[in-house]
Amino acid sequence: MIDLHMHSRYSDDGEFTPECLVFRCKEQGIRIVSVTDHNCVRANQEARKAAESLGLSYISGGEFDCMYHGRNFHMLGYGIDCENEAFAKLERAVMDQSRRASLEMLEKTRKLGFSVTEEEMDRVSSEAFWKGKWTGEMFGEVLLSKPEYEDHPLLKPYRKGGERSDNPYVNFYWDFYSQGKPCHGSISYPSMEEVADWIHGAGGLSVLAHPGANLKGREKELEELLALELDGIEVFSSYHSEAQEKYFLETAERLGKLVTCGSDFHGKTKPAVFLGEAAANSGGQAGEITVHVLKEGGIL
């Protein structure tokens, strides 16, 4: 089994250490691993060391925010040189903007009628690597824990039995804090072309992450994105339906692009997402295809 998309505590919304992730992969029978943190490549050295000690194959990776025509996308980079200065520069740029964006999110959350303090948000983020950075998932965690909001209509969909309760924290982020939503906190990210160039400059391959989550009804724009010299598509994802996977796979094969699979495992922010899920749900097809194309691409 293979899983090339997971997040450690070096992501602003990840729960586990890189070593813990790799040990969990070993327990799940996953033999090819990549830890792909948001805008940070620090986990790779620790994860690779753990993988080697357990006899697993490890691929260096990261997941980087980028913009295309004013819209936010995520780009996966595989086989990258993690010492490349471009990645440290991106991490610093995001970190420098984080507190301002977090306070913007706090103000907008209060405008929705919720009472939440900086102290409460700092407490829930106290163990995070990204100090002073609050996420939509963290706001969801704080608000859903408040007894006074037990019956609040905006929160009911995320409580047990609600239509958004499968992954309540991350669904709360998508519905209220993602780009274009009422509590979004803006951060300036590089263009998709720039990020692809950085990945290539670091000896890696650029792969568009979970396009079904970002395109959302605009799947036909995929070919336009791939024309930006992207190397591949994350076809198999916990976000994708079978119909989406079929379309993305056919598109990748027709255009000669790499195909990858990944669960996008985070831990508590996505409790319904499990390591190896994307590969397991495809009946082994995802793993077989991904291994083949990574070998062809010189990553394995």
Side-chain angles (χ1 to χ4, degrees):
M1 195 182 295
I2 182 171
D3 194 335
L4 300 183
H5 191 161
M6 63 189 72
H7 294 269
S8 80
R9 64 177 298 275
Y10 289 110
S11 284
D12 55 11
D13 52 2
E15 180 178 4
F16 299 105
T17 65
E19 295 94 335
C20 184
L21 278 179
V22 173
F23 278 111
R24 283 172 169 255
C25 286
K26 176 70 172 181
E27 291 175 345
Q28 296 295 321
I30 298 167
R31 56 190 177 86
I32 304 176
V33 180
S34 184
V35 178
T36 52
D37 284 315
H38 292 298
N39 306 309
C40 182
V41 297
R42 294 173 182 260
N44 283 282
Q45 183 175 0
E46 298 169 36
R48 183 181 296 279
K49 183 177 179 180
E52 290 175 351
S53 72
L54 295 171
L56 305 182
S57 295
Y58 187 79
I59 298 172
S60 59
E63 184 179 20
F64 311 106
D65 280 270
C66 57
M67 303 298 292
Y68 183 70
H69 288 180
R71 289 162 53 200
N72 181 239
F73 289 87
H74 292 175
M75 183 79 67
L76 293 158
Y78 293 118
I80 54 175
D81 173 9
C82 296
E83 299 300 317
N84 190 289
E85 176 60 23
F87 303 122
K89 180 180 177 182
L90 176 60
E91 180 189 313
R92 289 194 299 269
V94 174
M95 189 76 80
D96 289 345
Q97 301 175 75
S98 292
R99 192 63 179 184
R100 176 200 52 75
S102 296
L103 292 173
E104 181 183 351
M105 294 160 69
L106 178 64
E107 180 182 355
K108 291 179 176 179
T109 302
R110 289 170 172 168
K111 287 182 178 179
L112 288 181
F114 293 112
S115 175
V116 58
T117 67
E118 291 184 38
E119 290 74 21
E120 287 174 316
M121 295 309 302
D122 279 336
R123 279 199 296 272
V124 79
S125 62
S126 62
E127 299 299 318
F129 166 74
W130 294 77
K131 300 301 181 186
K133 187 177 193 297
W134 307 327
T135 67
E137 293 92 339
M138 291 175 186
F139 278 97
E141 184 175 355
V142 168
L143 294 176
L144 287 167
S145 71
K146 285 176 170 281
E148 61 266 38
Y149 298 136
E150 182 66 31
D151 296 318
H152 197 290
L154 289 182
L155 299 179
K156 277 193 172 182
Y158 310 94
R159 299 198 182 279
K160 187 175 181 180
E163 62 268 27
R164 301 289 281 162
S165 63
D166 58 338
N167 289 304
Y169 299 153
V170 75
N171 285 339
F172 194 71
Y173 155 75
W174 281 114
D175 295 343
F176 287 95
Y177 295 86
S178 60
Q179 188 183 25
K181 301 300 182 178
C183 298
H184 178 65
S186 59
I187 289 180
S188 177
Y189 295 115
S191 70
M192 186 175 288
E193 296 94 327
E194 286 180 287
V195 171
D197 284 345
W198 292 347
I199 291 170
H200 294 152
L205 297 173
S206 58
V207 175
L208 186 65
H210 45 59
N214 293 101
L215 292 173
K216 291 181 179 176
R218 299 186 179 93
E219 282 81 4
K220 297 300 181 183
E221 296 179 17
L222 180 61
E223 293 193 31
E224 180 182 340
L225 298 176
L226 294 175
L228 302 176
E229 297 188 10
L230 306 189
D231 299 303
I233 313 169
E234 186 179 45
V235 168
F236 302 99
S237 167
S238 56
Y239 281 111
H240 294 166
S241 66
E242 288 187 21
Q244 287 176 315
E245 289 180 347
K246 182 175 184 294
Y247 172 71
F248 295 145
L249 179 59
E250 290 174 348
T251 302
E253 291 177 338
R254 177 165 51 81
L255 298 178
K257 299 295 183 178
L258 297 175
V259 171
T260 68
C261 68
S263 63
D264 201 9
F265 177 82
H266 284 68
K268 70 177 181 179
T269 61
K270 295 184 180 181
V273 175
F274 303 96
L275 287 168
E277 181 177 29
N281 288 349
S282 69
Q285 180 191 30
E288 292 175 7
I289 293 174
T290 301
V291 169
H292 172 72
V293 298
L294 290 178
K295 286 181 177 178
E296 290 292 312
I299 296 297
L300 281 177

